[in-house]
Amino acid sequence: MSGGGESMGLDTSQRLAVDALLDDPGTRIIVCCGAGGVGKTTTAAALGVRAAERGRKVVVLTIDPARRLAQSMGIDSLDNTPRRVPGIEGGSGAGDGELHAMMLDMKRTFDEIVESHADSERARAILANPFYQSLSAGFAGTQEYMAMEKLGQLRARDDWDLIVVDTPPSRSALDFLDAPKRLGSFLDGKFIRVLMAPAKVGGRAGMAFLNVGMSMMTGTLSKLMGASLLKDVQTFVAAMDTMFGGFRTRADATFRLLQAPGTAFLVVAAPEPDALREAAYFVERLAAEKMPLAGLVLNRVHGSDAEQLSAERALAAAENLEEGGIVDQESGKAGLRDAADDGSPGVVDAHAAVGDVHDQSDMNDVDQITAGLLRLHAERMQVIAREQRTRDRFTSLHPEVAVAEVAALPGDVHDLAGLRAIGERLAAGVPAAGA
């Protein structure tokens, strides 16, 4: 494995211009998507903070159950209502930027749909129906559907000029694209008619037919069995009969909204093979669906202040120190000094700093510490080289995709200052030295 003696950064043409994207008034929706655990929530929040402090009126919609977003923004809790985030600082010429944040309440969003499309008596009947309660609380795809439903609601209100969406932490990063159509088709009547058939057949034959329908159900609905389920389904269908077509209509409208020019998708990934393979798949899927891709955000990228000192040179120097070899000779010391003099601070300076130490035991201790630092540096350079190769494989497959590399931070983001730091790294688009 080569440690790499020089930085292999992206060409300027390959870098994602994050600030230009945020400042463009034509950008109305940014969707952060990708595999789980790659930093979508933090990215969405950091984009929201940066856009607001550059003068945009922003709302961030998160579907993250860990509630990290609320904590980092200094809000006790988030719910289904957008809440103003305090402490947003508009810069020079930034205007009246604002940041609001909310966390999707899946069931509450479903309830709002029912309440807005049914009279009060019918709405009460639907909301109290056990079949509806199971469907709204946990049917496969409901969370993704409701995330897109909430996005449509926010866009229709036109209270914000930028909406940033943190997509659900699904097992598959593509679920939120498929779910609106999937749940829309379910509620559009075909599957409902299958479940309604027993009411027309009746008796044992009806229950046998119901069992066939039940074999197609998943999760929560499979726990509701027999005649009780049949009655709940009949009541549910009778109450919602006029609403089924509306679900499909809204799902289609939201899908078109995602394809519109004012929408920008950011695929978020870590510099790891599995995450970038999924990112590549997502890029291809977005292209197939004709959805506008702004670029790739590569999170937690490592860098070094001493990239001139390769992993091989650092390991060789460490071995010489540990063995009392050529670094005890003037030429060996000169070699280490040369590595330090080329602008590389830190890991190679410790030995030079003890030139006046005369006690041999003290010198040996310093040698061991220096050797340890050199080995740590070599490991860092190997990580950097591995991440660069992984990134380069992606960019060779998708040279048309702009990339922003975000330096790894030493700790978790837990406040606005941390989100601003992420935003600055997003805008820079390259890993900070020593990250």
Side-chain angles (χ1 to χ4, degrees):
M1 179 182 296
S2 172
E6 59 185 58
S7 177
M8 299 170 59
L10 295 164
D11 294 337
T12 302
S13 61
Q14 293 177 295
R15 292 178 187 167
L16 174 62
V18 171
D19 281 347
L21 177 68
L22 296 178
D23 293 345
D24 183 358
T27 303
R28 302 299 303 274
I29 297 171
I30 295 176
V31 182
C32 297
C33 50
V38 296
K40 292 193 302 292
T41 299
T42 302
T43 298
L47 288 169
V49 170
R50 190 165 184 86
E53 295 190 334
R54 295 175 69 86
R56 307 275 321 251
K57 192 172 182 180
V58 187
V59 60
V60 176
L61 168 63
T62 185
I63 305 95
D64 179 23
R67 301 186 182 274
R68 293 189 303 272
L69 181 64
Q71 296 166 1
S72 64
M73 291 185 171
I75 300 175
D76 292 336
S77 64
L78 294 179
D79 54 25
N80 218 39
T81 302
R83 295 181 182 276
R84 179 82 177 264
V85 176
I88 295 300
E89 302 169 359
S92 176
D96 298 324
E98 294 181 10
L99 179 62
H100 295 74
M102 63 179 296
M103 180 176 291
L104 178 74
D105 184 328
M106 179 178 66
K107 187 178 186 310
R108 182 60 202 147
T109 300
F110 211 151
D111 292 350
E112 289 172 356
I113 298 171
V114 171
E115 291 167 349
S116 63
H117 291 86
D119 59 55
S120 58
E121 183 177 351
R122 180 173 294 188
R124 282 195 299 271
I126 294 171
L127 298 180
N129 184 277
F131 183 93
Y132 167 79
Q133 292 173 357
S134 296
L135 176 70
S136 61
F139 187 74
T142 303
Q143 184 182 52
E144 289 82 0
Y145 178 93
M146 291 305 149
M148 296 301 99
E149 178 76 30
K150 180 58 68 175
L151 170 60
Q153 291 177 6
L154 292 172
R155 185 68 182 85
R157 286 173 57 179
D158 207 29
D159 289 339
W160 300 274
D161 55 35
L162 179 62
I163 303 168
V164 182
V165 183
D166 164 35
T167 54
S170 306
R171 186 168 62 182
S172 167
L174 302 174
D175 281 354
F176 85 96
L177 284 178
D178 295 325
K181 286 185 176 180
R182 194 165 59 240
L183 190 61
S185 296
F186 168 70
L187 294 171
D188 199 25
K190 293 180 181 178
F191 192 48
I192 292 293
R193 285 196 294 272
V194 171
L195 291 175
M196 278 298 292
K200 299 177 181 178
V201 177
R204 291 184 178 179
M207 291 311 300
F209 193 86
L210 176 62
N211 288 334
V212 173
M214 282 302 299
S215 68
M216 301 169 63
M217 301 293 281
T218 60
T220 307
L221 296 183
S222 65
K223 298 176 183 178
L224 300 173
M225 305 290 290
S228 174
L229 173 61
L230 176 59
K231 181 179 179 181
D232 292 338
V233 171
Q234 289 174 317
T235 304
F236 171 78
V237 171
M240 291 193 66
D241 182 55
T242 59
M243 293 181 59
F244 291 140
F247 281 95
R248 167 59 71 86
T249 300
R250 283 192 301 279
D252 291 344
T254 301
F255 205 78
R256 289 193 299 272
L257 180 63
L258 294 175
Q259 294 174 316
T263 299
F265 281 83
L266 289 176
V267 177
V268 183
E272 301 165 359
D274 288 346
L276 278 172
R277 272 195 296 270
E278 184 139 7
Y281 181 39
F282 212 149
V283 165
E284 293 161 7
R285 172 66 187 280
L286 290 171
E289 298 286 357
K290 296 181 173 58
M291 294 189 173
L293 173 66
L296 171 75
V297 173
L298 199 57
N299 270 333
R300 302 166 190 156
V301 177
H302 292 89
S304 173
D305 282 322
E307 288 190 351
Q308 297 89 339
L309 180 63
S310 70
E312 289 85 352
R313 289 174 64 196
L315 287 173
E319 290 172 2
N320 287 328
L321 281 168
E322 290 167 341
E323 295 170 3
I326 61 171
V327 293
D328 288 331
Q329 302 172 11
E330 286 304 315
S331 61
K333 294 179 181 179
L336 282 178
R337 284 196 297 271
D338 290 343
D341 291 342
D342 68 4
S344 308
V347 294
V348 296
D349 291 347
H351 198 282
V354 296
D356 295 332
V357 177
H358 301 292
D359 186 89
Q360 187 61 43
S361 62
D362 289 344
M363 180 66 77
N364 289 338
D365 289 343
V366 172
D367 285 351
Q368 293 301 314
I369 294 171
T370 305
L373 291 173
L374 287 164
R375 289 189 178 279
L376 287 174
H377 174 73
E379 291 176 6
R380 168 59 67 91
M381 294 304 295
Q382 290 168 346
V383 168
I384 292 171
R386 184 167 61 249
E387 290 179 351
Q388 288 174 344
R389 288 195 299 273
T390 304
R391 179 206 65 198
D392 290 346
R393 280 196 292 270
F394 174 89
T395 56
S396 66
L397 288 172
H398 298 283
E400 77 286 358
V401 178
V403 180
E405 296 183 325
V406 182
L409 292 180
D412 292 334
V413 175
H414 54 80
D415 55 19
L416 283 176
L419 292 175
R420 289 190 185 101
I422 293 291
E424 290 170 1
R425 286 160 171 76
L426 275 164
V430 293

